[in-house]
Amino acid sequence: MTDADTTTATADWRAWQESWDRQQEWYMPDREERFRVMLDMVEALVGTSPRVLDLACGTGSITARLFDRFPDATSTGVDLDPALLAIAEGTFQGDGRVSFVTADLKDPEWPAKLPYDSYDAVLTATALHWLHQEPLAGLYGQIAGLVRDGGVFMNADHMIDDTTPRINAAERALRHARMDRAKRDGALDWARWWQLAAEDPVLAGPTARRFEIYGEHADGDMPPVAWHARVLREKGFGEARPVWCSPSDTLLLALK
């Protein structure tokens, strides 16, 4: 039995879901725009009733927006974080369109836990930078095996171009100045959000287990867009290119 099963009656899952979204928007004020473009491309390439794998789903942010736009969609959320999965399971309790799987994406056997052998779309956002390049390349190969012919994979994440250091520094300075102003106005950052989760009687246990798994933050890689596109083509996708970008992030689409 999961934490969500035992605590739904006393937890305001919707409030935690919204709190997570606000915390993420402190880092990425254009977060909703990347989700909108992601779903535009889902509709364009696989239609309005897709079977979706929400990869490293966290609280289910992508799944929530998927169902708002495409009520006939189905989703499988996969993650390892017990606290974020508790929020996801609580938020979507009773919704037969979605199921959640606890799995470590660095475990080569994780796809065996999924309820389906193939998906129309695999979607992920701001998560895979936790991985170094070698395991990420391996994961891309597994994703290629899960996406049906004609299906899509989309990854919205930090993809750093090291050939433009002055542009990168200027963008980062402006972004952090804006973040500092928002924080003075009461915005929650990552550390403070997790402190509040640890103090909540419902999420305290899952949060403690989460930090046993991950520590404070993983030390992954953020290779440039060209690396992602090249590796995805090498792993079996026919086409791969950005379909949206901000000064700091990119939404890359790969078509099987």
Side-chain angles (χ1 to χ4, degrees):
M1 182 174 290
T2 67
D3 295 282
D5 293 327
T6 59
T7 59
T8 300
T10 58
D12 188 343
W13 297 119
R14 185 64 60 183
W16 276 111
Q17 181 78 248
E18 293 174 357
S19 176
W20 175 260
D21 282 343
R22 300 296 83 76
Q23 179 259 125
Q24 290 287 284
E25 286 169 358
W26 180 68
Y27 295 94
M28 298 167 288
D30 49 22
R31 185 168 178 255
E32 292 301 324
E33 178 70 6
R34 75 191 64 194
F35 288 148
R36 181 190 67 77
V37 175
M38 179 182 282
L39 296 180
D40 281 349
M41 300 313 296
V42 167
E43 181 174 357
L45 289 163
V46 298
T48 59
S49 56
R51 177 190 292 168
V52 170
L53 177 60
D54 187 350
L55 192 71
C57 65
T59 65
S61 296
I62 289 175
T63 293
R65 287 150 183 81
L66 177 76
F67 289 166
D68 284 345
R69 180 154 169 180
F70 307 128
D72 293 330
T74 57
S75 178
T76 304
V78 59
D79 208 303
L80 185 61
D81 189 313
L84 299 186
L85 277 175
I87 295 171
E89 291 171 340
T91 299
F92 293 97
Q93 186 179 39
D95 191 331
R97 298 172 296 177
V98 61
S99 59
F100 291 100
V101 174
T102 300
D104 185 351
L105 297 181
K106 292 184 287 187
D107 178 354
E109 301 302 320
W110 73 267
K113 296 184 176 183
L114 300 176
Y116 304 106
D117 293 331
S118 68
Y119 289 84
D120 301 309
V122 177
L123 309 177
T124 189
T126 327
L128 301 189
H129 65 272
W130 284 61
L131 298 176
H132 289 289
Q133 290 186 35
E134 184 175 349
L136 180 55
L139 178 64
Y140 278 172
Q142 292 176 307
I143 292 168
L146 289 168
V147 175
R148 67 163 173 82
D149 289 345
V152 298
F153 166 64
M154 280 182 271
N155 179 17
D157 210 343
H158 314 308
M159 300 182 188
I160 306 301
D161 187 341
D162 291 332
T163 68
T164 59
R166 291 181 296 163
I167 295 172
N168 298 349
E171 180 280 323
R172 187 179 187 278
L174 178 63
R175 177 163 43 89
H176 280 260
R178 290 174 173 170
M179 290 166 65
D180 289 344
R181 289 196 296 271
K183 191 172 180 179
R184 288 195 295 270
D185 291 336
L188 294 179
D189 63 7
W190 171 271
R192 180 57 182 151
W193 191 91
W194 281 109
Q195 287 174 358
L196 293 174
E199 294 167 3
D200 183 272
V202 170
L203 285 176
T207 297
R209 292 196 297 279
R210 183 245 179 240
F211 281 95
E212 290 174 0
I213 295 169
Y214 292 108
E216 289 297 323
H217 203 285
D219 181 24
D221 294 328
M222 289 179 274
V225 171
W227 181 93
H228 292 270
R230 174 180 60 79
V231 171
L232 285 163
R233 287 192 294 267
E234 290 173 353
K235 296 298 183 180
F237 286 92
E239 301 176 14
R241 72 165 177 87
V243 291
W244 174 91
C245 69
S246 72
S248 61
D249 288 12
T250 296
L251 172 59
L252 191 138
L253 183 152
L255 179 65
K256 185 77 176 290

